[in-house]
Amino acid sequence: MSDDQKMQVATKEDIDKNKVNAILSYLGILIIVPLLSEDAKKSPFAKFHLNQGLVLLIAGVVSSIVTWIPVFGWALAIALFVIWIIGLMSAINGEMKRVPLLGNIELIK
């Protein structure tokens, strides 16, 4: 069974109810809102995007240390920005697509 088949599936009602929490998961410090929300903790859709957003936030903090390195740091920052856009668009569209490179990391189960 592939990772995508193991992934929980969200219902349309779950997606509609928790889309705001999913979007907030990608907006930096606003990730606190879904982290503290009981609805988000029970929702497969919100929890999925909360995990993806948290991984991206941590990657962004770590990458900010090396962004001062010419070319490498800048390329890393651009790559993370593109990955962030992909995750945010997935939440906006009501999809549960893993982000490239970092999507398989699970911090929240």
Side-chain angles (χ1 to χ4, degrees), residues 2-40:
S2 72
D3 286 338
D4 290 334
Q5 290 172 334
K6 291 178 192 174
M7 188 171 55
Q8 287 185 326
V9 179
T11 63
K12 179 160 177 33
E13 294 81 28
D14 179 31
I15 292 170
D16 291 340
K17 183 178 178 184
N18 290 290
K19 192 177 273 192
V20 172
N21 281 326
I23 293 168
L24 289 175
S25 297
Y26 292 98
L27 300 180
I29 193 70
L30 294 178
I31 198 169
I32 292 173
V33 174
L35 272 172
L36 298 176
S37 168
E38 287 301 316
D39 286 341

Side-chain angles (χ1 to χ4, degrees), residues 50-66:
L50 185 58
N51 183 71
Q52 298 284 288
L54 188 59
V55 169
L56 285 172
L57 181 64
I58 292 169
V61 169
V62 170
S63 76
S64 69
I65 296 168
V66 297

Side-chain angles (χ1 to χ4, degrees), residues 59-82:
V61 169
V62 170
S63 76
S64 69
I65 296 168
V66 297
T67 54
W68 58 272
I69 300 173
V71 184
F72 174 74
W74 304 332
L76 181 61
I78 291 169
L80 279 175
F81 179 72
V82 170

